[in-house]
Amino acid sequence: MKYRDKRVLVCGMAKSGISAAKLLNRIGAKVTLQDMKKREEIQEPQLLEKEGISLFLGANPDEIILDQDLIVLSPGIPCDLPFILKAEAQGVPVISEVELAYSLTPCPVTAITGTNGKTTTTTLVGQIMHAVKPNTAVVGNIGVSYSGEVERLTKDDWVVAEISSFQMEKAKSFSPYISAVLNISPDHLNRHKTMENYIAMKERIFEKQVEGDFCILNYSDQVCRKMANKTKAKIFFFSSKEPLAEGIFLDGDMIRVRWNGINEDLVSIHGLQVLGVHNYENVMAAAAMAIAAKVPTEVIRDVLKKFNGVEHRIEYVTTVDGVDYYNDSKGTNTDASIRAVLAMRKPIVLIGGGYDKGVSFDDWTKLFCGRVKHLVLIGVTAQQIKESAEKFGFWDISICQTFEEAVNLCKEKADEGDCVLLSPACASWGMFDNYEQRGDMFKEQVRSFEKQK
């Protein structure tokens, strides 16, 4: 689609929405930026207006949608709002911010989705690609707006994009050269309503791929394995549970590659700086994508050995009085927090709870006996998690009203040789702006314990 002189409404004034509006404005569109916040709640709105961007604030844009040639949605905007349905019924196209940026991308795209591991895998793929394509853009759900990066790219560059289910809801032509679905477990059902809808949004990442493209899938995940029959792209499986005749797999302590003429040991897990089977899966997925992109295995191996993980994902913070503290604030669903619990090698004092996304906690809480020493709960899901844990015979539970109180209680409950793990299995909304803020507060308070000594 040509954007010059088009009347475009961008909904949502978070980072991606503002970046999309500025991008469209620079390439000649007539842009209106809308948000439910009132003008006084927006930081320096006059700066956007000076650039030529009109603002529509404090209300849904029902009265102006039929004046638009295009509507671009930020990922946080639900797609079933009445004004969106009305616009589409009247023939006004509605696309996602990712779709907008993709339509202007001149180079190959690698796109990563799944329930868990996206940020770690995206970061790792980005580091590998930077080694061979220094101008690689790492964008998307990782916290860097795709729209803010696309103008600097040339045909010789590369995009590595973390893609959420929200970002796929209004993707129309999005078709990466290399796609990956890491795993599937229940998440965001408050928005997608059913697992079928949630899985369908994940599958859109490879829906438009063609022969000659590549799709990396988790052979050990039954839902992902079935996706192999739904794309024209060449499948590259990874597996943490069994050897593969073709693919990349964990064989004891060694990650091995058998694919497209390559038959070699890539790296031992003891040569990695990340912990847990879930991270070995992330490493295999990232390596598979890099191999599909024709990055030499010696380059991949070197980056894998140096990679020390990402912030807020089973991030070691410090040791105080013989107790190790780990920040897994990015554990925003049960599957992620299951992986964190299983990765710990010491008795755990665990902080859980937060925003209710409408899922069961049973698969997580049934692991507690024999692993978790004490459970400290916060947020609106505290009572639900408590009842789930008690159902499986786990009773060492406290509920705290504030996050600070919870972290202090963990310090009291943990003895030398234990670990304290923040892995909430819930989103942060309600108590925090985002999971980063939650993790940063945890680290700050834990480090204050060192100063108190």
Side-chain angles (χ1 to χ4, degrees):
M1 182 178 184
K2 303 295 183 182
Y3 300 105
R4 179 168 294 278
D5 296 324
K6 298 292 184 182
R7 297 164 299 175
V8 184
L9 172 67
V10 179
C11 297
M13 287 187 69
K15 185 184 296 182
S16 62
I18 291 174
S19 293
K22 289 183 174 182
L23 169 63
L24 285 160
N25 184 58
R26 286 193 297 269
I27 62 178
K30 299 173 182 177
V31 184
T32 300
L33 182 55
Q34 177 269 336
D35 198 276
M36 294 299 293
K37 293 177 183 176
K38 296 179 181 179
R39 187 177 181 88
E40 56 268 25
E41 299 176 280
I42 303 297
Q43 187 173 9
E44 298 184 317
Q46 68 276 8
L47 296 181
L48 292 167
E49 291 171 326
K50 284 182 180 179
E51 293 183 33
I53 297 172
S54 300
L55 301 182
F56 188 97
L57 302 173
N60 280 321
D62 301 76
E63 63 190 70
I64 63 169
I65 55 171
L66 298 185
D67 297 328
Q68 309 301 317
D69 297 311
L70 176 69
I71 297 175
V72 177
L73 299 183
S74 298
I77 307 295
C79 296
D80 58 355
L81 294 177
F83 80 85
I84 297 173
L85 300 178
K86 180 181 177 182
E88 291 182 315
Q90 296 295 319
V92 180
V94 180
I95 65 172
S96 65
E97 179 266 339
V98 161
E99 174 72 14
L100 167 69
Y102 173 77
S103 72
L104 297 167
T105 301
C107 59
V109 175
T110 297
I112 298 104
T113 196
T115 304
N116 296 300
K118 296 187 295 297
T119 298
T120 298
T121 305
T122 301
T123 302
L124 182 48
V125 175
Q127 290 185 12
I128 296 171
M129 294 310 301
H130 270 294
V132 293
K133 297 277 188 179
N135 201 43
T136 292
V138 182
V139 301
N141 199 54
I142 198 167
V144 178
S145 168
Y146 195 168
S147 295
E149 294 287 297
V150 69
E151 285 179 290
R152 70 174 178 82
L153 298 171
T154 72
K155 63 181 180 60
D156 297 318
D157 297 322
W158 205 279
V159 171
V160 180
E162 178 184 334
I163 301 295
S164 71
S165 56
F166 294 179
Q167 290 168 315
M168 283 290 94
E169 283 181 308
K170 291 300 178 184
K172 309 293 186 181
S173 63
F174 185 78
S175 181
Y177 174 54
I178 302 169
S179 68
V181 185
L182 305 178
N183 47 65
I184 296 291
S185 60
D187 199 15
H188 299 301
L189 298 186
N190 56 322
R191 175 147 166 176
H192 296 302
K193 311 305 180 187
T194 68
M195 275 301 292
E196 289 76 15
N197 290 342
Y198 176 59
I199 292 169
M201 290 304 106
K202 295 296 187 184
E203 291 175 341
R204 285 192 175 184
I205 201 167
F206 57 70
E207 190 176 79
K208 302 290 186 180
Q209 285 188 287
V210 298
E211 293 181 13
D213 294 337
F214 298 92
C215 180
I216 284 72
L217 296 173
N218 188 344
Y219 190 84
S220 303
D221 185 299
Q222 293 298 318
V223 177
C224 289
R225 192 189 302 186
K226 292 177 182 177
M227 292 178 182
N229 300 318
K230 299 182 179 181
T231 178
K232 295 177 182 178
K234 181 172 175 58
I235 300 300
F236 193 156
F237 280 121
F238 65 94
S239 173
S240 61
K241 295 183 179 178
E242 56 192 292
L244 299 174
E246 184 177 60
I248 183 168
F249 57 93
L250 183 61
D251 185 9
D253 293 341
M254 182 61 66
I255 293 175
R256 305 186 191 277
V257 183
R258 294 177 186 158
W259 194 80
N260 201 29
I262 301 172
N263 187 355
E264 63 179 271
D265 295 349
L266 185 62
V267 66
S268 166
I269 62 173
H270 302 298
L272 301 173
Q273 298 186 51
V274 290
L275 293 175
V277 173
H278 67 288
N279 269 322
Y280 307 149
E281 290 182 339
N282 296 336
V283 164
M284 288 187 287
M289 283 178 268
I291 291 169
K294 298 183 178 180
V295 179
T297 54
E298 58 267 26
V299 174
I300 298 170
R301 184 180 294 112
D302 183 59
V303 176
L304 295 181
K305 288 181 177 180
K306 294 177 181 177
F307 181 67
N308 59 5
V310 299
E311 191 177 19
H312 306 299
R313 190 69 185 102
I314 317 185
E315 175 193 7
Y316 171 72
V317 180
T318 190
T319 299
V320 181
D321 296 329
V323 177
D324 297 337
Y325 288 81
Y326 288 90
N327 165 32
D328 190 51
S329 185
K330 202 171 189 309
T332 58
N333 56 59
T334 54
D335 192 54
S337 292
I338 285 169
R339 293 162 185 249
V341 166
L342 293 177
M344 295 297 103
R345 297 167 182 170
K346 297 179 178 181
I348 306 166
V349 179
L350 176 64
I351 301 177
Y355 179 81
D356 187 1
K357 292 197 283 186
V359 300
S360 168
F361 295 98
D362 289 359
D363 285 346
W364 181 47
T365 59
K366 70 183 180 183
L367 299 174
F368 289 175
C369 289
R371 292 185 176 91
V372 176
K373 180 177 179 179
H374 196 85
L375 175 64
V376 180
L377 295 171
I378 57 173
V380 297
T381 58
Q383 188 60 36
Q384 183 184 350
I385 296 171
K386 180 176 183 290
E387 291 172 2
S388 175
E390 290 174 346
K391 183 166 59 177
F392 295 104
F394 186 87
W395 303 94
D396 296 309
I397 304 169
S398 300
I399 295 179
C400 293
Q401 298 305 309
T402 69
F403 189 66
E404 182 180 11
E405 179 189 351
V407 179
N408 284 332
L409 182 59
C410 287
K411 183 177 185 294
E412 293 177 20
K413 295 290 184 180
D415 297 314
E416 183 176 353
D418 294 341
C419 66
V420 172
L421 172 65
L422 169 67
S423 189
C426 298
S428 56
W429 310 318
M431 295 181 74
F432 309 92
D433 293 339
N434 47 50
Y435 73 81
E436 293 97 337
Q437 184 188 58
R438 178 171 62 186
D440 289 341
M441 289 179 65
F442 176 74
K443 290 190 289 184
E444 182 180 356
Q445 189 170 345
V446 167
R447 286 169 180 150
S448 74
F449 297 157
E450 293 180 302
K451 298 175 183 177
Q452 295 169 11
K453 294 183 66 178

